[in-house]
Amino acid sequence: MSTTVSEVKHLIGTEWVASSDGDTFESRDPHDGSLLATVARGTADDGRAAIAAARTAFDDGPWPQMSPKERAAILHAVADNVDEHRDELAQLETRDGGKTITQSLHAEIPRVAHNFRFFADYVAMAGNEAYPDGDLFSYTLYPPAGVVSAISPWNAPLMLATWKIAPALAFGNTVVLKPAPQTPLTAHRFAELALEAGLPPGVLNVVQGFGGDAVAGPLTSDSRVDRITFTGSSATGVKILQAAAANHTPVSAEMGGKSANIIFADADLDVAVPKAIRAIFGGNGQVCLSGTRLLVQNSIREEFLERFTEEARNLKVGDPKDPASFMGPLIEEQHLEKVHGYVELAQEEGGKIITGGERLTGAEHKDGFYYPPTIITGLTNEARAAREEIFGPVETVLGFDTEEEALRITNDSPYGLAGMLFTQNLDRAHRMAARWKAGTVWINTFFERDLRLPFGGEGISGLGREGGQYSREFFTEPRAVTIRLQRSGADHD
Ligand code: NAD
């Protein structure tokens, strides 16, 4: 089993190619800075070439013309090949992005295969509406939209890339994927595996590199692109929406979050404490859905905080390849500095650090970008550290007395991605879910997903929804067909 990829090129049509100007960049392991691969640094010309390949595969190739069942057979073969290479992909993901091996192996790479199986079957099984109405017979068709640009982030690289690619392909589109420059490896290896499994050439193209004027430029501004699906920060989302507007290209954008995790006094703390730990420190704190604002009812605040802090202090932060590690390194130096900058800002804003708050520099951590679980109290919801996305293992803890107050604080945010609520009062849970400004609300749990449900965010967290029928709306051009039937067939025999 190979767990290294030393040279990463673009996949354009049938060819693995270097960048048009030969430029490259390096992908390094955030645990120890070792060089993992030299990566083609895509130019705008590379982006345009990939779009042309995807366009040809869509306009002239068999993929959009295949029946959903024919496509599903190939997409299942892709999923099977991912499963067969699960260990290799998990190792690559962990080395490239610092995600713990436990998470890569048991959550993210299995979800890659699930993304493919789910959408292959969803499309094959989905029905169309039909409305017989006297002489009129109307129905809906869902032809594929065309060429899809998929732009993905570094924090769950292949899981999120395939959350876009799988539905786009299943509905009959062709794709140009641009992974994040911090984590190019698994997309590269995945594309090899997909071709090996029988995906026709040109149906999936992968370009590597950066945003703005580089390779991602044409992906958002070329008129030959029919859909843009983006996951990343809210700031980048604005730029993509502006670029897409010139061609009226529809955009689905899954962006940042600042989700509240609300713990009521009647919560089962044996459930709530470990879930709250997972909700903020899982994924090294670099998860869009994280419960970053912990709201604890004042009557149990002390008891909860004691248990929560104790568990946080005991988490093993270390080499992500070690199955005992709960957290690995942050993605890169610059990001660590941003996270630490927010911790310093929180102190200036009156916050008190209960645990963490300084970069880890011990023997195991000295060559990596390690930051400990950090808990901050004493802030109000007006503090910038409590309002802005930190995207690191930093929890700000706020108190509340009543349900109404908890809801007011929760919804007082420009973000609206997700939320968590721990209570044994189901009436309250339903009441709050109905009034919560968030695309997803979890009650007594966290991070569990049914891919049939809508996924996305309100406010600056998102535009549109994906998942099940919502992905169908986005990745197809729903078309109304109406036939006037002849009253009698006599004249037409
Ligand atoms: P980012 O916005 O910096 O980059 C995301 C992707 O966009 C990368 O591939 C990047 O190269 C590309 N990009 C950057 N500028 C571009 C431009 N002008 N045009 C086109 N593409 C451009 O985000 P990131 O730092 O990689 O990821 C972290 C962010 O992603 C966080 O804000 C996090 O909350 C968010 N996120 C959201 C979800 C969700 O489902 N809502 C999931 C994961 C991550």
Side-chain angles (χ1 to χ4, degrees):
M1 180 188 72
S2 145
T3 53
T4 55
V5 170
S6 56
E7 192 183 15
V8 173
K9 293 183 170 180
H10 311 300
L11 172 62
I12 299 181
T14 55
E15 306 289 329
W16 292 98
V17 297
S19 291
S20 60
D21 62 2
D23 202 3
T24 59
F25 65 100
E26 292 177 341
S27 184
R28 289 184 175 271
D29 186 333
H31 165 64
D32 58 10
S34 59
L35 179 65
L36 297 175
T38 303
V39 186
R41 188 187 189 108
T43 62
D45 280 344
D46 297 324
R48 282 188 280 271
I51 292 166
R55 191 74 259 165
T56 302
F58 186 83
D59 293 340
D60 306 333
W63 190 252
Q65 311 304 332
M66 284 183 190
S67 75
K69 276 190 187 147
E70 288 171 315
R71 284 198 297 266
I74 296 173
L75 298 177
H76 271 275
V78 171
D80 293 345
N81 215 13
V82 166
D83 280 346
E84 278 165 34
H85 294 81
R86 185 176 69 134
D87 287 0
E88 177 192 351
L89 288 166
Q91 291 284 348
L92 281 178
E93 202 73 297
T94 287
R95 293 190 69 196
D96 210 14
K99 188 68 60 81
T100 62
I101 192 65
T102 308
Q103 211 170 345
S104 298
L105 200 56
H106 300 295
E108 297 205 355
I109 302 303
R111 174 62 195 283
V112 168
H114 181 57
N115 284 340
F116 273 84
R117 293 200 179 97
F118 171 82
F119 282 107
D121 292 344
Y122 182 88
V123 178
M125 309 272 281
N128 297 9
E129 307 103 298
Y131 300 103
D133 181 16
D135 295 344
L136 288 184
F137 182 78
S138 301
Y139 61 94
T140 315
L141 288 176
Y142 293 96
V147 171
V148 174
S149 288
I151 299 174
S152 53
W154 48 262
N155 68 311
L158 195 56
M159 192 266 265
L160 288 171
T162 55
W163 166 243
K164 304 174 171 309
I165 300 169
L169 295 182
F171 287 106
N173 302 282
T174 59
V175 172
V176 179
L177 168 70
K178 195 203 80 63
Q182 294 88 344
T183 50
L185 300 192
T186 46
H188 173 90
R189 185 67 185 116
F190 168 80
E192 290 179 337
L193 296 174
L195 290 178
E196 204 177 284
L199 197 69
V203 169
L204 172 64
N205 305 271
V206 183
V207 289
Q208 302 282 357
F210 295 80
D213 296 336
V215 68
L219 268 55
T220 57
S221 61
D222 192 304
S223 62
R224 294 169 296 174
V225 170
D226 300 291
R227 293 287 186 277
I228 300 164
T229 170
F230 164 73
T231 301
S233 64
S234 302
T236 302
V238 170
K239 292 183 194 157
I240 288 177
L241 288 167
Q242 285 168 340
N247 296 312
H248 296 211
T249 311
V251 179
S252 166
E254 296 175 347
M255 300 180 280
K258 191 75 183 175
S259 302
N261 182 6
I262 307 179
I263 318 286
F264 277 93
D266 67 356
D268 178 348
L269 295 196
D270 290 340
V271 174
V273 172
K275 294 275 187 200
I277 288 281
R278 165 95 174 76
I280 180 65
F281 302 125
N284 311 341
Q286 301 169 137
V287 178
C288 57
L289 300 161
S290 290
T292 55
R293 288 184 295 155
L294 186 64
L295 273 68
V296 188
Q297 199 156 23
N298 284 323
S299 56
I300 58 155
R301 197 180 129 99
E302 216 167 290
E303 180 194 354
F304 183 91
L305 256 187
E306 208 170 287
R307 289 179 61 173
F308 181 69
T309 308
E310 172 79 12
E311 281 210 25
R313 286 192 178 121
N314 288 334
L315 295 175
K316 177 166 166 40
V317 183
D319 187 343
K321 297 186 287 306
D322 178 353
S325 294
F326 184 86
M327 281 169 54
L330 302 190
I331 187 70
E332 56 191 359
E333 179 93 41
Q334 196 188 357
H335 187 61
L336 186 144
E337 280 166 14
K338 176 191 149 187
V339 170
H340 185 60
Y342 269 109
V343 173
E344 289 180 327
L345 173 68
Q347 287 172 289
E348 285 162 27
E349 291 179 306
K352 182 176 165 213
I353 296 176
I354 302 298
T355 188
E358 288 294 344
R359 180 178 185 160
L360 296 173
T361 52
E364 188 183 357
H365 303 120
K366 67 179 176 28
D367 298 322
F369 311 122
Y370 285 96
Y371 207 81
T374 298
I375 301 171
I376 302 173
T377 58
L379 294 175
T380 67
N381 199 47
E382 277 66 51
R384 277 184 56 202
R387 297 189 77 76
E388 297 175 14
E389 187 183 44
I390 300 174
F391 216 54
V394 180
E395 184 80 291
T396 54
V397 184
L398 306 161
F400 70 91
D401 287 314
T402 65
E403 183 180 317
E404 206 54 37
E405 187 187 2
L407 204 55
R408 183 181 54 70
I409 297 171
T410 298
N411 287 344
D412 177 17
S413 169
Y415 292 97
L417 189 59
M420 292 124 249
L421 167 64
F422 290 85
T423 180
Q424 299 202 44
N425 178 340
L426 269 186
D427 285 332
R428 167 161 51 215
H430 285 297
R431 271 197 308 270
M432 292 195 68
R435 294 174 62 199
W436 206 305
K437 180 184 148 196
T440 297
V441 174
W442 281 290
I443 296 162
N444 295 330
T445 188
F446 169 63
F447 220 49
E448 297 183 272
R449 294 277 319 281
D450 182 323
L451 303 190
R452 290 169 292 192
L453 293 181
F455 182 78
E458 297 189 28
I460 65 171
S461 287
L463 193 74
R465 298 288 187 275
E466 293 190 34
Q469 61 174 313
Y470 306 91
S471 294
R472 176 161 80 172
E473 295 293 318
F474 182 69
F475 287 114
T476 65
E477 281 291 0
R479 181 172 302 144
V481 181
T482 297
I483 309 173
R484 178 167 288 284
L485 302 169
Q486 299 300 322
R487 275 179 188 272
S488 154
D491 297 343
H492 303 278
D493 287 340

